[in-house]
Amino acid sequence: MKAAVLYTFFAIILALPLFGAGECPACGGVVTTVGKVADDETKPSKNQWVWNRSICANLLFDEDSLICTRCWLAKDKNQPDTWMRSSLLPDSFVIPLSDAIRRFPEPGNYNQRFVGKRRIESMSFWCADSPDLIGKFQNYCKQHDLTLKLTRSERYPKEVFVDVEQKPIAQQDGADQPATASEAKAGGNQKPQTEKEATPR
Ligand SMILES: [Zn+2]
């Protein structure tokens, strides 16, 4: 009996550091640091913002960055209350992506970002710069109230970088301020390169 009590006591003491980093603001999961998580390269990246698997330097996250062990959202060190995750697998988000983003008629790199209680989702990809294709995307975005942003680069003259973004979704507690364009842009700007380097053609 006594041994069992002692064991429980020590188990709690040992487990305390695990909870030291706190709780994920989005899903309530246990938070740890990136340095304590192994990136298994035989499997899809848990979070492409953290492990982009390319030679590009990672400016937003390092070993000390906080990451949720349940939904794999990671905390951006440079902005307050900002957690984000990126994945090529639309169904791999613990808090599911909205249908409008998840069912976009072209696969891409999916992003989920929480800024305080606001959830902002987007997806992006490179494709042929074809008026038919762009027209199709424009229609879809109009129907689903999404913002479509096209970026062209001299390096890839026949292609276009498509960035589709949803208007921020307020979580239950309500949101007071709308997301600013600069917040959304931080990810959008960096992506074209990362994506391109990661998938050379
Ligand atoms: Zn989480």
Side-chain angles (χ1 to χ4, degrees), residues 80-154:
D81 297 329
T82 301
W83 292 71
M84 50 201 192
R85 175 171 187 259
S86 167
S87 174
L88 295 169
L89 306 170
D91 296 324
S92 68
F93 291 80
V94 168
I95 294 162
L97 290 176
S98 62
D99 283 352
I101 290 290
R102 197 164 50 86
R103 294 188 183 152
F104 192 85
E106 188 78 16
N109 193 20
Y110 300 85
N111 280 290
Q112 194 174 59
R113 178 190 305 255
F114 286 82
V115 181
K117 293 284 175 191
R118 282 166 294 138
R119 172 156 58 105
I120 305 151
E121 295 179 347
S122 63
M123 56 93 66
S124 56
F125 54 90
W126 283 91
C127 71
D129 196 355
S130 125
D132 284 355
L133 214 48
I134 306 291
K136 188 171 102 174
F137 298 158
Q138 279 166 338
N139 282 340
Y140 184 90
C141 287
K142 216 173 159 185
Q143 280 168 18
H144 295 86
D145 203 20
L146 301 168
T147 308
L148 180 73
K149 200 172 77 193
L150 305 172
T151 310
R152 291 173 174 90
S153 156
E154 279 176 23

